[in-house]
Amino acid sequence: MSGARLELDRLGKRFRGLRAVHEVSFAVPAGAIHALIGPNGAGKTTIFNMIAGVLAPDAGAVRLDSRTISGLRPDHVCDAGVGRTFQLVKPFKGLSVLENVTVGALHRHRELAGARDAAARLLDRLGLHDRRHQLAESLTLPDRKRLEVARALATEPKLLLLDEVMAGLRPTEVDVMVAFLRELNARTGLTILLIEHVMRAVMALAAEVVVVSSGEKIAEGTPQEITRHRAVLDVYLGEPEAS
């Protein structure tokens, strides 16, 4: 598809005969923010893992800028320009906040001084500069979430996969993260695909939303269209309360 940064073409995955993902296709244009939503167990993280190289698809293909990356090792997918966060935030224990981000920055900066400077700039933008020398495992949940985003951005991706980075955050903290991601996208043109259950974030960020259930895509459209989609209401969002 012309202009697509990311393309999923009839992607499929089975685990011991259990169909986890079945013929899922969608595209994310360069510079866009899209969301992938669905109930727990719908296959969202499996899709992310196939994009990022953690899992090889059993069928279909993943393409980045028209280049097939499905089946590549995770480090080669990262080389190609894909960065990702993880749903369970696990910073490197025993390392400071700055050292955690520097590890990611070393992927593009071969000199330690350059990697450290790049990491420090990211921490400043994410409001973690004052905590840069603190042990990463001692951070609060909101700060660990921001650190996770900083570690992914340190690899200097052109496609950023965000796996529930706003789960567990208070509404004001969600608003701060939304504002940061919106500004980042506007300033750099970074393409973002996010898995998110916090619908206020999805509505504020995503130009398009893909909905999966039981491993299959059941809907795709703008956030406003998705909130009115019959199948989505049935399996995920639920019926609105009667007035």
Side-chain angles (χ1 to χ4, degrees):
M1 182 179 294
S2 177
R5 172 122 299 160
L6 173 70
E7 290 179 77
L8 273 60
D9 182 11
R10 302 182 70 179
L11 209 59
K13 185 66 181 177
R14 288 179 174 268
F15 296 106
R16 296 182 179 178
L18 177 65
R19 191 177 73 179
V21 175
H22 180 64
E23 293 194 348
V24 170
S25 298
F26 64 87
V28 183
I33 302 179
H34 283 198
L36 179 64
I37 70 171
N40 289 331
K44 304 182 299 295
T45 296
T46 299
I47 291 171
F48 261 31
N49 283 337
M50 286 190 283
I51 297 171
V54 177
L55 296 172
D58 297 326
V62 179
R63 288 186 283 271
L64 185 72
D65 293 332
S66 300
R67 173 194 172 192
T68 299
I69 61 170
S70 42
L72 296 180
R73 292 185 343 213
D75 57 319
H76 291 168
V77 174
C78 185
D79 285 340
V82 178
R84 60 96 49 101
T85 68
F86 292 86
Q87 186 176 346
L88 298 177
V89 182
K90 294 182 179 180
F92 297 119
K93 289 186 177 182
L95 297 185
S96 70
V97 170
L98 178 60
E99 289 167 337
N100 262 266
V101 183
T102 300
V103 170
L106 282 167
H107 191 74
R108 302 291 182 190
H109 300 265
R110 299 309 180 189
E111 297 296 326
L112 180 59
R116 193 184 298 273
D117 288 345
R121 289 193 297 271
L122 276 172
L123 291 174
D124 186 53
R125 283 163 52 197
L126 279 157
L128 289 171
H129 179 76
D130 292 343
R131 299 170 179 81
R132 66 191 183 281
H133 298 307
Q134 187 174 330
L135 285 176
E137 64 262 32
S138 68
L139 293 176
T140 63
L141 176 62
D143 286 347
R144 290 200 307 272
K145 293 281 189 177
R146 285 189 286 174
L147 174 60
E148 184 76 355
V149 174
R151 293 202 305 168
L153 288 174
T155 66
E156 299 182 11
K158 52 188 175 181
L159 169 67
L160 179 63
L161 306 175
L162 299 176
D163 195 347
E164 296 193 35
V165 294
M166 284 168 264
L169 301 187
R170 295 189 293 268
T172 53
E173 295 163 345
V174 168
D175 292 343
V176 169
M177 184 67 80
V178 165
F180 169 76
L181 293 173
R182 185 183 288 147
E183 186 274 335
L184 176 70
N185 170 259
R187 180 171 52 82
T188 67
L190 179 66
T191 306
I192 299 173
L193 176 63
L194 60 134
I195 293 173
E196 195 53 70
H197 286 292
V198 180
M199 290 307 296
R200 63 185 286 147
V202 172
M203 297 294 288
L205 283 170
E208 294 277 334
V209 180
V210 176
V211 188
V212 292
S213 179
S214 300
E216 297 188 23
K217 185 177 81 172
I218 62 170
E220 183 174 5
T222 67
Q224 294 74 23
E225 290 168 342
I226 289 301
T227 58
R228 298 191 298 268
H229 196 286
R230 180 74 262 166
V232 178
L233 292 173
D234 288 343
V235 306
Y236 184 53
L237 295 178
E239 294 284 358
E241 294 183 2
S243 57

